Amino acid sequence: MATWSAPGKVFLFGEHAVVYGKPGIAMAIKPRVQVTVRHTHHYQRPNSPYIAECFNLLDIKGSVYVRSQLPSASGLGSSAAVTVATLFAINDEFSLGYNKDEVADLAHEVEKITQGGRASATDTYVSTFGGMVLIRGDEKRRLIPPQNFSIVLGNSMISHNTAEQVKKVADFLEKSPKIANPIVDAIGAITMEAMHNMDNLHELGNLMNRNQALLDALGVGHPCLSKLILAARNAGAYGAKLSGAGGGGCIWALCSRGTRNRVVNAIDKYEGKPIATGIDTEGVRKEESL
Ligand code: PMV
């Protein structure tokens, strides 16, 4: 039996546009998913298309047990974390001999298959390697996380479906390219600007707010997300935006140490579930099997 765990992530900038080759920035966060894989003849598996696809892709049969600290379908990369931990556990249990980069690539493949052919490598890469990363097409760059990077998450408790939101954007691009393409381009420009302003929290907050406005224009906002985003900004956050596919799920707010508690209380007051978290620098790791 082999047990591996992988962290979730916050999508800091550039979600959706990253699917079309624009840059995206994500950061691994502390809550983790732990997966145990066992070579048995009685196959037991949770009902997850991501786990099923891991086994299909590697043409392997086995049992799986999952423990998750991450809310699912909430923009915190739980599907990617499950996929990464499952593939590493299969690789270990069945001695397949893939290296870390190869397993990260397989995880991206699984996400692409389960998301109807459209998925960036962001979630699976950051869950594998931890830290803060910039993804642009095939380019993957590790970023140095800024000092004083204090964030609060707010879960709207509205679950979303990543594949549906990704398809919605694809349909918009196909039907109205003259409107949708400039929005995607502008999100890409904001992400590059953010990469060059990581230590300037005021500017980063402004860029978050502009990124959010463009995500709303793409059609992936939700009234409950808007409510939490405005509550966080009014409570003194530098900026706030959704994380991940949108249409529900989580927001993240960038705070100073002084405003952190006020932002947590504001999210709570507006019926969100606040989650105080920090960066995970480790990525995927092997755990003791119980
Ligand atoms: O909602 P999540 O955590 O699955 O993030 C999706 C991010 C997208 O950019 C919308 C899709 C992708 O593959 O990058």
Side-chain angles (χ1 to χ4, degrees), residues 53 57 103-114 124:
E53 199 48 53
L57 197 67
V103 183
D105 287 345
L106 286 171
H108 181 208
E109 208 47 47
V110 167
E111 282 235 312
K112 262 203 289 205
I113 295 166
T114 34
T124 44

Side-chain angles (χ1 to χ4, degrees), residues 19-245:
V19 175
Y20 301 94
K22 306 294 171 201
I25 302 176
M27 182 178 97
I29 52 166
K30 296 243 181 267
R32 287 186 162 252
V33 174
Q34 190 165 314
V35 177
T36 300
V37 169
R38 198 178 196 162
H39 193 168
T40 52
H41 295 294
H42 306 288
Y43 307 124
Q44 281 181 321
R45 278 188 214 156
N47 191 12
S48 152
Y50 291 89
I51 292 178
E53 199 48 53
C54 291
F55 281 86
N56 284 346
L57 197 67
L58 295 170
D59 197 16
I60 288 275
K61 291 187 164 50
S63 297
V64 185
Y65 181 61
V66 177
R67 275 142 295 182
S68 181
Q69 304 164 338
L70 276 170
S72 60
S74 65
L76 299 183
S78 73
S79 318
V82 163
T83 304
V84 167
T86 303
L87 286 171
F88 274 87
I90 295 175
N91 190 40
D92 187 8
E93 175 72 352
F94 294 86
S95 304
L96 301 183
Y98 290 108
N99 67 31
K100 206 166 175 176
D101 284 298
E102 287 168 338
V103 183
D105 287 345
L106 286 171
H108 181 208
E109 208 47 47
V110 167
E111 282 235 312
K112 262 203 289 205
I113 295 166
T114 34
Q115 280 176 209
R118 299 182 199 93
S120 74
T122 320
D123 288 19
T124 44
Y125 187 83
V126 79
S127 187
T128 304
F129 292 97
M132 197 182 271
V133 300
L134 178 122
I135 302 285
R136 181 169 38 187
D138 290 337
E139 178 192 351
K140 297 164 182 111
R141 203 187 303 178
R142 315 285 303 267
L143 302 179
I144 298 166
Q147 300 282 320
N148 305 325
F149 199 74
S150 174
I151 69 168
V152 172
L153 308 179
N155 191 346
S156 68
M157 310 303 281
I158 312 271
S159 70
H160 73 189
N161 180 316
T162 299
E164 261 171 32
Q165 297 301 316
V166 168
K167 175 150 186 340
K168 194 192 246 187
V169 173
D171 289 347
F172 183 27
L173 278 158
E174 201 187 311
K175 278 199 200 109
S176 312
K178 286 197 175 140
I179 301 170
N181 278 325
I183 299 174
V184 167
D185 288 345
I187 292 176
I190 285 175
T191 305
M192 287 317 284
E193 200 66 21
M195 192 187 77
H196 293 119
N197 280 281
M198 275 293 167
D199 285 320
N200 183 344
L201 299 185
H202 278 285
E203 185 53 22
L204 220 48
N206 287 333
L207 291 165
M208 288 171 74
N209 297 342
R210 291 189 205 289
N211 193 161
Q212 176 60 35
L214 292 167
L215 287 165
D216 279 326
L218 272 187
V220 296
H222 188 283
C224 290
L225 293 174
S226 304
K227 198 169 67 174
L228 297 183
I229 287 165
L230 292 179
R233 288 180 194 160
N234 286 338
Y238 292 112
K241 65 176 275 295
L242 64 83
S243 165

